[in-house]
Amino acid sequence: MEILYFKMWLWTLVSLSIITKVCGYASGYFPKVCHTMSPRHKNRGEVLAPQNTQPPFEVHYEHGKKGEPITVFLKSKSSTQFRGFMLEARNKSMVDDGRPVGKFILLDARNSQLLTCGDIVDSAVSQKNNQRKSLIRVNWTAPAEELDITFRATFVESFNIFWERVDVNVTSPPPPQSTTKPSTTMSTQPSITTSTQRSTPASTTKPSTTTSNQPSTTTSTTETSTTTSNQPSTTTSTTETSTTTSNQPSTTTSTTETSTTTSNQPSTTETSTTRVISQVLQRQVLQQVISQVLQVLQRQVL
């Protein structure tokens, strides 16, 4: 009988030990491992070592707007799910020995819970149950001082299979991109176009004939010119320059240089004057002869 009771107590103790080993920290509350973040699962008194292969899980984050928290994701890379996890934010330069920094805010209170590590409230997150999970989301707010942050997580697939030190370094958010529209400036200046046309003077000379007892004086009138007889005539040609100004907006300015052309053509006034003088001289000589003849006749009559 005593042997039977002893066996019953022995099986009870063994069963309780097995249940404890399987469940481990099923509730997710294990403050004694805040520093190592290790589940410390034991098999026959020996602590199980983590896996040294590439984990099928990852830590991802997304920056919020300025002043908003960072959203952290614990998720499966494939169809493999995890039962337990632990997440902390640490100073990048002291990720292995430092204390957690900042505070977390739950977004899924059904499957996650906040922990107090290093006397800092809400500085870590762990599972609330041992159900299978493929995604956990939490928000994290940074401390007052600016630090380079590393998110470190532990994933537990089963009692014997788990991964530690699954890290991701937080980089600074890219600066906001400003869209600048190129400004278009149109400068309109009125253009001045100068058109120069050459004027063609028309000169008309009409010689005048005058008969008198004195040397005659012939004045020749020429448009845009002045001619005086008894001297070589002088013809002045006046060229008028017409200027046309067009005030229309344009970006092209055309400049035309004014050219001055002097036309040297022989005047017909000089030939006419020579003929008139010759005729006048002949008439004067004839008048003198006639006068002398008349004087001789008058003397004879007297």
Side-chain angles (χ1 to χ4, degrees):
M1 192 72 177
E2 293 180 356
I3 295 174
L4 181 62
Y5 280 113
F6 176 76
K7 289 182 178 180
M8 291 176 61
W9 279 108
L10 181 62
W11 280 108
T12 301
L13 291 174
V14 171
S15 299
L16 290 175
S17 176
I18 293 174
I19 293 172
T20 302
K21 288 181 180 179
V22 171
C23 293
Y25 298 102
S27 63
Y29 184 71
F30 38 97
K32 293 182 179 180
V33 295
C34 282
H35 178 69
T36 61
M37 299 180 64
S38 175
R40 297 182 65 81
H41 290 175
K42 293 183 180 181
N43 184 12
R44 298 180 182 179
E46 295 183 0
V47 178
L48 297 176
Q51 303 297 308
N52 56 7
T53 59
Q54 188 71 20
F57 316 108
E58 64 180 352
V59 183
H60 178 65
Y61 68 92
E62 290 182 359
H63 284 286
K65 296 181 180 179
K66 186 176 182 181
E68 294 183 353
I70 296 176
T71 301
V72 186
F73 301 86
L74 305 180
K75 59 182 182 178
S76 301
K77 294 181 181 179
S78 60
S79 59
T80 305
Q81 295 179 313
F82 55 92
R83 292 179 180 272
F85 67 90
M86 187 173 183
L87 173 66
E88 290 184 4
R90 296 187 178 185
N91 189 341
K92 182 179 179 181
S93 60
M94 302 174 62
V95 65
D96 292 328
D97 300 323
R99 300 169 58 187
V101 295
K103 291 186 177 182
F104 289 96
I105 302 173
L106 294 181
L107 298 178
D108 184 7
R110 185 182 61 179
N111 293 317
S112 58
Q113 64 181 347
L114 298 173
L115 302 178
T116 298
C117 288
D119 298 329
I120 303 175
V121 180
D122 302 338
S123 59
V125 186
S126 68
Q127 81 277 1
K128 196 174 184 177
N129 53 60
N130 64 346
Q131 296 177 359
R132 295 183 182 277
K133 310 167 185 65
S134 58
L135 177 64
I136 294 292
R137 296 186 309 118
V138 292
N139 281 347
W140 178 79
T141 57
E145 65 273 20
E146 293 185 2
L147 299 173
D148 292 331
I149 300 299
T150 296
F151 289 117
R152 168 165 288 186
T154 297
F155 291 92
V156 178
E157 181 182 349
S158 63
F159 183 82
N160 296 325
I161 302 174
F162 55 91
W163 287 264
E164 298 177 356
R165 299 188 178 188
V166 182
D167 298 345
V168 61
N169 296 325
V170 179
T171 59
S172 300
Q177 297 181 356
S178 60
T179 304
T180 304
K181 295 182 178 181
S183 60
T184 304
T185 304
M186 297 179 64
S187 176
T188 303
Q189 296 180 354
S191 64
I192 299 175
T193 304
T194 303
S195 176
T196 304
Q197 297 179 354
R198 298 177 183 175
S199 62
T200 304
S203 175
T204 303
T205 305
K206 293 181 180 181
S208 62
T209 304
T210 305
T211 303
S212 65
N213 294 327
Q214 298 293 331
S216 65
T217 301
T218 302
T219 302
S220 176
T221 303
T222 305
E223 294 181 2
T224 69
S225 65
T226 303
T227 304
T228 304
S229 62
N230 297 329
Q231 296 292 335
S233 64
T234 302
T235 302
T236 303
S237 177
T238 304
T239 302
E240 295 181 356
T241 302
S242 63
T243 303
T244 303
T245 302
S246 174
N247 294 326
Q248 295 181 355
S250 172
T251 57
T252 305
T253 302
S254 176
T255 304
T256 304
E257 297 181 356
T258 304
S259 61
T260 304
T261 304
T262 303
S263 177
N264 296 325
Q265 296 181 357
S267 175
T268 58
T269 306
E270 183 177 357
T271 304
S272 298
T273 303
T274 304
R275 291 177 181 178
V276 170
I277 292 174
S278 177
Q279 292 176 2
V280 169
L281 291 176
Q282 291 177 2
R283 289 176 182 178
Q284 287 181 353
V285 171
L286 181 60
Q287 287 178 359
Q288 289 179 0
V289 171
I290 293 171
S291 176
Q292 290 178 0
V293 170
L294 289 175
Q295 289 179 1
V296 171
L297 292 175
Q298 286 178 359
R299 288 176 184 177
Q300 290 179 357
V301 172
L302 293 176

